[in-house]
Amino acid sequence: MQERELPTFQKRHKSLRLDSPHVEDILGVRRCGKTYFMYQLISSLIGSGIPRVNIVYINLDDDRLQPLNGDELQLLVNTYREFYEISGKHKLYLFLDEIQNIPAWEKWTKSTYDRERNIKITISGSNASLLSGDLSTLLTGRHLTTRMFPFSFAEFLEFHNIKIELKTLPYSEKNIEIKKRFNEYLENGGFPEVIFYPSIKQKELIQSYFEDIIHKDIISRHNLRSAQTLKQLSIFCISNIAKPYTFNSLKRIFANYTVLSTDVIINYLSFLEDAFLFFSVKHYDYSLKKQINKPKKLYCIDTGMVNAVSFRSSNNIGQLYENLVFLQLLRSNREIYFWQADKGLEVDL
């Protein structure tokens, strides 16, 4: 990015302390704005006086870098140092976008963190399992995680230059406009491209996101053979957000036309959650054993995704409202459960 200016970006309601020594990992669903958040961080570094030559951004999802074998990261850093004279007064800020495309990247990250204190590494990824298992052990105490989502309603209003004060909102002259924008947000969701380019075919664009998540982030990643079954399961789930389910109930639903074991359903749902397409919420109970055995509920990453992909005979506005509330609670890092009495009385969240 040394030869061109940063693209225009909409500032997000997130920030990172890039003066810390830790590896920063930015995790979120595909196309939610992780790359442009990196541009926001780069812009803030330049604004604080860091020389541009000390900032390197690499898009590891670029087809021109394929295939990747695992030794490219060190080669890229060494080559960059040969071509550019880096200021020794500042760290080298390394932004690695979609890091999961590099084999064994975690070992390189850990060894670089331990060996070169003058490099600050920021990575992004589209899979929740990016920092699990061996990697979690390798980077224990060495990394800080930031979760990214599609635009919140507050960010959506900010893009449209609408400022609100919660205390005076009921009496605001902008009330009607805000309600209109809310209905638009509920229908189309918060994916950045959907907001920035309202003239495009939004439904088709979101459907393409869904296909990319299914095929690139799940089927290819896990080498699945029954792609159609995974897709059917995901469409069923997105059509039934906010409704209690059990693994056995899903097994019975699909029993009419395919054989799905409970283990396969559990695995498929975990893949869908790892790709940030869905989030599961447990039934609250004081007993952990009872909690495990009770139904769960699923929520989708974006209401626009629900409207574009789901198969529904009627517009269930209540489910969409509930999904929006869930996402806002999730952004606030709340511990979320639902509760349902034996007689059917329920606390949604």
Side-chain angles (χ1 to χ4, degrees):
M1 294 191 64
Q2 299 302 325
E3 290 78 22
R4 61 186 177 93
E5 295 299 317
L6 286 170
T8 303
F9 58 86
Q10 177 72 22
K11 191 172 183 180
R12 303 298 299 271
H13 292 178
K14 284 186 178 293
S15 60
L16 295 182
R17 290 290 303 273
L18 292 178
D19 55 351
S20 73
H22 301 82
V23 174
E24 303 284 350
D25 43 86
I26 304 166
L27 304 181
V29 70
R30 181 179 290 268
R31 312 303 295 174
C32 74
K34 299 186 295 297
T35 297
Y36 278 78
F37 181 55
M38 282 188 162
Y39 294 159
Q40 177 179 322
L41 297 172
I42 291 170
S43 178
S44 68
L45 286 173
I46 295 172
S48 68
I50 303 297
R52 288 182 67 105
V53 75
N54 280 57
I55 305 170
V56 182
Y57 167 83
I58 302 172
N59 177 13
L60 296 169
D61 211 19
D62 193 323
D63 292 338
R64 292 171 295 179
L65 293 177
Q66 306 301 326
L68 295 167
N69 301 312
D71 57 352
E72 289 85 2
L73 286 176
Q74 192 58 51
L75 179 62
L76 286 167
V77 172
N78 292 342
T79 302
Y80 184 83
R81 282 172 164 163
E82 290 176 10
F83 276 87
Y84 296 96
E85 188 175 339
I86 300 171
S87 169
K89 294 181 181 180
H90 305 280
K91 290 183 178 181
L92 174 63
Y93 291 86
L94 190 57
F95 291 85
L96 303 172
D97 206 356
E98 299 297 348
I99 190 72
Q100 71 274 357
N101 291 313
I102 290 277
W105 64 269
E106 60 273 17
K107 293 181 180 178
W108 179 88
T109 303
K110 194 260 183 185
S111 64
T112 301
Y113 174 92
D114 291 340
R115 187 179 65 253
E116 300 197 45
R117 290 296 180 180
N118 213 32
I119 291 183
K120 170 69 176 183
I121 301 173
T122 301
I123 63 176
S124 81
S126 302
N127 198 283
S129 294
L130 202 67
L131 292 166
S132 62
D134 294 339
L135 176 57
S136 179
T137 302
L138 282 171
L139 292 181
T140 297
R142 298 175 175 88
H143 73 99
L144 299 172
T145 299
T146 297
R147 291 198 295 181
M148 289 292 294
F149 300 89
F151 274 44
S152 67
F153 183 54
E155 290 172 322
F156 174 81
L157 289 178
E158 191 172 286
F159 172 77
H160 290 288
N161 297 313
I162 300 174
K163 295 182 180 180
I164 61 172
E165 293 289 339
L166 292 179
K167 291 182 179 180
T168 60
L169 182 59
Y171 321 104
S172 173
E173 294 179 355
K174 297 179 180 178
N175 223 323
I176 295 176
E177 183 182 4
I178 291 171
K179 288 180 180 179
K180 180 181 176 182
R181 290 297 185 184
F182 177 78
N183 290 330
E184 180 184 335
Y185 178 77
L186 187 71
E187 175 66 25
N188 299 322
F191 279 103
E193 286 182 314
V194 173
I195 296 171
F196 297 164
Y197 308 107
S199 61
I200 62 175
K201 295 181 178 179
Q202 297 165 328
K203 184 175 181 179
E204 286 82 350
L205 178 62
I206 297 174
Q207 287 172 343
S208 73
Y209 292 170
F210 175 77
E211 293 290 339
D212 282 348
I213 292 169
I214 295 297
H215 290 281
K216 294 182 180 180
D217 295 332
I218 301 178
I219 294 172
S220 295
R221 177 181 173 85
H222 299 284
N223 297 315
L224 299 183
R225 290 176 295 177
S226 51
Q228 190 60 29
T229 302
L230 172 74
K231 189 173 180 179
Q232 288 171 342
L233 175 63
S234 61
I235 292 174
F236 175 84
C237 291
I238 209 170
S239 303
N240 291 275
I241 55 168
K243 294 182 179 179
Y245 77 93
T246 65
F247 299 129
N248 285 331
S249 68
L250 291 176
K251 182 179 177 180
R252 287 193 298 270
I253 288 168
F254 282 84
N256 291 330
Y257 61 91
T258 186
V259 178
L260 275 182
S261 69
T262 303
D263 287 342
V264 169
I265 290 175
I266 292 173
N267 286 335
Y268 281 4
L269 288 176
S270 71
F271 297 157
L272 292 165
E273 288 191 59
D274 280 347
F276 299 107
L277 185 58
F278 294 110
F279 302 89
S280 67
V281 174
K282 297 177 181 177
H283 188 289
Y284 182 80
D285 199 288
Y286 289 108
S287 167
L288 183 60
K289 183 178 179 180
K290 290 182 179 179
Q291 189 180 110
I292 292 172
N293 292 322
K294 286 189 175 181
K296 298 179 177 65
K297 292 203 292 189
L298 284 175
Y299 295 94
C300 184
I301 185 63
D302 183 72
T303 54
M305 181 77 75
V306 175
N307 289 323
V309 176
S310 67
F311 179 80
R312 293 176 299 158
S313 57
S314 62
N315 185 23
N316 193 331
I317 199 76
Q319 288 174 268
L320 293 176
Y321 284 160
E322 188 175 331
N323 204 106
L324 272 187
V325 173
F326 166 79
L327 290 173
Q328 189 57 38
L329 291 172
L330 195 63
R331 288 186 181 95
S332 305
N333 294 317
R334 304 297 181 95
E335 189 175 358
I336 308 170
Y337 298 89
F338 79 100
W339 179 84
Q340 193 173 45
D342 293 336
K343 295 182 179 179
L345 297 174
E346 182 180 344
V347 177
D348 292 331
L349 296 164

